[in-house]
């Protein structure tokens, strides 16, 4: 069924999910503030309330730790509808937070907000956020760059934001779940089990939370000893892009020293990323640092190199060939996993479905790199999915059906930020 006036609906969703300065991804399944969700949400608010857009990110950074770490969840209020809640994480922080992070989209969102508004009006917000963003990026460089080549390590699948991607299956098999104990999942009481991670996945997630807690959330030790240590292609590409955007902000503020450091980090990552190129597969893939193995999987994140600003003719050609092949097997781009892979599951979370936020990052990158046809295809598919199904958490790439939670903040935000103009240009 085609949605009527999606723009109005999208605004209503953001306003309804606003809890006063921060926005929940979805009132039932995710009742707290999530890190990268808030970055996307701020872009959605920017379409109709720029002040509120800045507020979303300022509130997010109120949950930052002294060492620059920015948690993946801020538990502003307790809510029994979510597991694992603050008592399970046990980070002992005020406000209460989780102990892991998420892909650093925030600096890129801040740059977008800054460049679209009246620069004299929002200078104060930028001055406040710049050092906080920088501290978070420095934290990545200090604690999450084990090879010293500018790539990004994750120590929990949730840190990738692509929770149950098959990219984590092999690395996760090392996690000992024998002492996890019993716990009650809440997600499957809101959403059908077939669309969510399995019990084994959850046991592993919980075991890693218990591991981090047993080390008092000492991130340096966790980074050295965690049974799950993977260099994530998604976080790596997003961080590279975020460093470029932060550099533009440093230049705007005349922070020469910080700008020099950012340029250095960018150059290091540009060279280091070759470690993630899998020439046999012809794509960028995540890589397990314990075994040294590439996942050898083509996922939605493999196409983030364009967004990261990487340009390499030979590699780009091979990536575009994958995109063409994947497009021929699906009705809508971009599935989160290559449909030719045996683990592909069109409705299970990050094992196949299309996610509007990844489409936005990939589509934007393709357009910026001059791959207009593909960028437009990703954008118009995103438009069609949302318009036909509504603001769902994710979508089946074969049928276009909306799956997971409905009335999702980040899907609404992507509509407002990226698809609404498209709607106008088509005269829809
Ligand atoms: C799920 C997603 C994650 C997102 C969160 C809130 O855990 O995998 O990326 O941040 O939900 O929407």
């Amino acid at each position: 069924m085609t949605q009527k006036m999606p723009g109005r609906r999208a605004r209503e969703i953001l306003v309804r999910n606003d809890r006063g300065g921060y926005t929940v991804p979805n009132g039932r399944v995710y009742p707290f503030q999530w890190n990268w969700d808030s970055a996307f949400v701020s872009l959605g608010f920017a379409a109709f309330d720029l002040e509120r857009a800045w507020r979303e990110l300022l509130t997010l950074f109120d949950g930052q730790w002294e060492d620059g770490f920015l948690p993946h969840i801020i538990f502003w209020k307790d809510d029994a509808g979510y597991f694992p809640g603050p008592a399970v994480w046990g980070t002992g922080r005020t406000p209460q937070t989780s102990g892991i992070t998420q892909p650093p989209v925030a600096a890129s969102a801040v740059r977008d907000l800054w460049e679209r508004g009246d620069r004299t009006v929002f200078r104060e917000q930028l001055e406040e956020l710049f050092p906080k963003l920088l501290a978070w990026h420095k934290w990545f460089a200090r604690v999450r760059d084990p090879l010293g080549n500018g790539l990004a390590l994750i120590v929990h699948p949730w840190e990738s934001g692509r929770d149950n991607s098959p990219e984590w299956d092999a690395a996760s098999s090392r996690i000992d779940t024998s002492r996890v104990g019993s716990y009650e999942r809440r997600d499957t009481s809101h959403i059908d089990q077939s669309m969510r991670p399995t019990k084994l996945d959850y046991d592993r997630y919980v075991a890693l939370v218990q591991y981090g807690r047993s080390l008092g959330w000492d991130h340096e030790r966790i980074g050295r000893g965690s049974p799950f240590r993977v260099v994530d292609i998604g976080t790596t590409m997003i961080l590279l892009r975020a460093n470029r955007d932060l550099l533009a902000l440093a230049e705007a503020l005349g922070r020469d020293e910080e700008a020099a450091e950012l340029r250095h980090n960018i150059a290091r990552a540009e060279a280091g990323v070759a470690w993630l190129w899998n020439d046999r597969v012809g794509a960028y893939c995540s890589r397990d640092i314990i075994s040294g193995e590439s996942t050898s999987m083509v996922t939605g994140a493999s196409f983030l190199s364009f967004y990261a600003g990487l340009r390499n003719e030979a590699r780009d050609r091979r990536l575009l060939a994958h995109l063409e092949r994947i497009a021929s097997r699906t009705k809508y781009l971009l599935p989160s996993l290559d449909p030719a892979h045996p683990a592909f599951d069109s409705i299970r979370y990050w094992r196949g479905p299309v996610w509007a936020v990844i489409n936005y990052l990939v589509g934007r990158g393709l357009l910026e790199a001059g791959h207009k046809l593909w960028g437009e295809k990703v954008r118009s598919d995103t438009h069609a999915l949302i318009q036909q199904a509504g603001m769902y958490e994710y979508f089946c790439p074969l049928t276009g059906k909306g799956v997971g939670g409905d009335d999702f903040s980040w899907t609404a935000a992507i509509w407002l930020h990226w698809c609404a103009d498209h709607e106008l240009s088509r005269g829809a």
Side-chain angles (χ1 to χ4, degrees):
M1 195 188 78
T2 303
Q3 303 292 305
K4 288 208 188 81
M5 294 192 280
R8 187 201 283 180
R9 178 98 193 98
R11 279 199 297 274
E12 278 168 10
I13 290 173
L14 290 189
V15 170
R16 184 155 17 95
N17 289 342
D18 181 0
R19 294 289 178 272
Y22 73 95
T23 308
V24 296
N26 163 289
R28 288 176 301 281
V29 199
Y30 302 106
F32 310 108
Q33 183 170 26
W34 259 260
N35 182 326
W36 73 328
D37 293 63
S38 273
F40 293 114
V41 158
S42 74
L43 297 176
F45 272 119
F48 62 102
D49 185 347
L50 204 44
E51 181 94 40
R52 178 61 187 77
W54 282 96
R55 171 55 40 214
E56 184 75 24
L57 292 163
L58 289 163
T59 309
L60 176 67
F61 277 87
D62 285 344
Q64 187 169 36
W65 294 13
E66 303 77 49
D67 64 352
F69 166 78
L70 189 67
H72 97 299
I73 305 177
I74 324 279
F75 299 104
W76 291 109
K77 275 190 237 148
D78 213 348
D79 189 311
Y82 179 82
F83 176 87
V88 181
W89 289 94
T91 55
R93 297 271 149 177
T94 312
Q96 304 201 77
T97 75
S98 71
I100 58 171
T101 193
Q102 254 187 343
V105 183
S108 302
V110 168
R111 181 179 180 188
D112 274 15
L113 301 190
W114 171 247
E115 290 184 350
R116 82 160 54 200
D118 174 341
R119 300 188 186 185
T120 51
V121 179
F122 294 105
R123 176 111 189 168
E124 203 182 304
Q125 284 85 338
L126 179 61
E127 299 258 7
E128 182 174 340
L129 279 170
F130 179 80
K132 298 181 177 181
L133 289 162
L134 190 69
W136 187 26
H137 288 209
K138 280 178 187 258
W139 177 86
F140 269 106
R142 199 172 62 245
V143 182
R144 292 302 180 79
D145 183 8
L147 307 173
N149 58 359
L151 311 181
L153 172 74
I154 58 166
V155 297
H156 193 297
W158 286 343
E159 290 202 304
S160 69
R162 300 181 291 127
D163 302 11
N164 67 336
S165 169
E167 283 211 287
W168 322 135
D169 289 359
S172 295
S173 63
R174 248 180 248 121
I175 304 166
D176 175 10
T177 57
S178 62
R179 286 186 302 262
V180 160
S182 62
Y183 60 90
E184 195 190 330
R185 273 174 81 167
R186 299 296 159 83
D187 58 321
T188 41
S189 54
H190 306 291
I191 290 175
D192 194 275
Q193 274 194 19
S194 64
M195 302 175 185
R196 297 286 308 177
T198 62
K199 160 100 172 88
L200 176 61
D201 288 329
Y202 252 79
D203 282 353
R204 289 168 169 169
Y205 301 151
V206 175
L208 288 176
V209 172
Q210 293 170 344
Y211 172 76
R213 188 181 173 155
S214 75
L215 295 186
W217 296 107
D218 176 335
H219 292 123
E220 313 238 353
R221 284 179 66 198
I222 297 168
R224 285 195 301 271
S226 174
F228 181 89
R229 271 177 286 150
V230 178
V231 171
D232 169 27
I233 190 66
T235 306
T236 296
M237 295 298 184
I238 288 170
L239 179 61
L240 174 50
R241 171 58 179 256
N243 272 326
R244 295 187 199 280
D245 291 326
L246 197 57
L247 171 60
L249 295 171
E251 286 167 351
L253 290 171
R255 310 276 171 102
D256 298 343
E257 211 176 295
E258 288 90 340
E261 184 180 341
L262 286 162
R263 277 188 210 104
H264 176 78
N265 289 347
I266 290 166
R268 191 165 48 191
E270 282 174 340
V273 81
W275 195 68
L276 296 175
W277 176 258
N278 183 324
D279 205 46
R280 186 177 55 75
V281 174
Y284 289 104
C285 312
S286 300
R287 198 160 162 183
D288 185 327
I289 64 163
I290 299 178
S291 67
E293 297 283 320
S294 167
T295 66
S296 302
M297 288 180 204
V298 181
T299 66
S302 299
F303 301 99
L304 286 170
S305 57
F306 301 100
Y307 174 77
L310 297 171
R311 304 286 180 261
N312 177 311
E313 223 181 286
R315 289 182 187 169
D316 293 356
R317 208 175 315 117
R318 296 186 74 187
L319 285 168
L320 293 175
H322 278 301
L323 204 54
E324 189 167 356
R325 180 180 55 75
I326 290 171
S328 74
R329 301 180 67 130
T330 49
K331 194 157 172 212
Y332 301 95
L333 287 178
L334 176 67
S336 39
L337 178 66
D338 184 344
H341 193 281
F344 177 79
D345 180 337
S346 67
I347 59 164
R348 199 183 287 278
Y349 225 41
W350 292 94
R351 302 177 85 87
V354 178
W355 292 73
V357 291
I358 300 292
N359 273 18
Y360 161 62
L361 300 177
V362 170
R364 180 173 172 166
L366 286 164
L367 289 168
E368 287 171 349
H371 302 298
K372 197 161 179 294
L373 276 178
W374 285 114
E376 279 303 333
K377 158 100 174 122
V378 173
R379 193 171 183 217
S380 61
D381 283 2
T382 316
H383 183 279
L385 285 168
I386 298 177
Q387 188 161 53
Q388 287 158 23
M391 315 279 159
Y392 271 86
E393 187 177 10
Y394 42 94
F395 303 87
C396 171
L398 307 179
T399 63
K401 188 175 178 303
V403 258
D406 60 358
D407 291 354
F408 239 77
S409 297
W410 68 7
T411 309
I414 294 305
W415 178 273
L416 292 167
H417 179 66
W418 201 52
C419 295
D421 294 351
H422 192 71
E423 177 181 31
L424 289 179
S425 65
R426 287 168 145 204

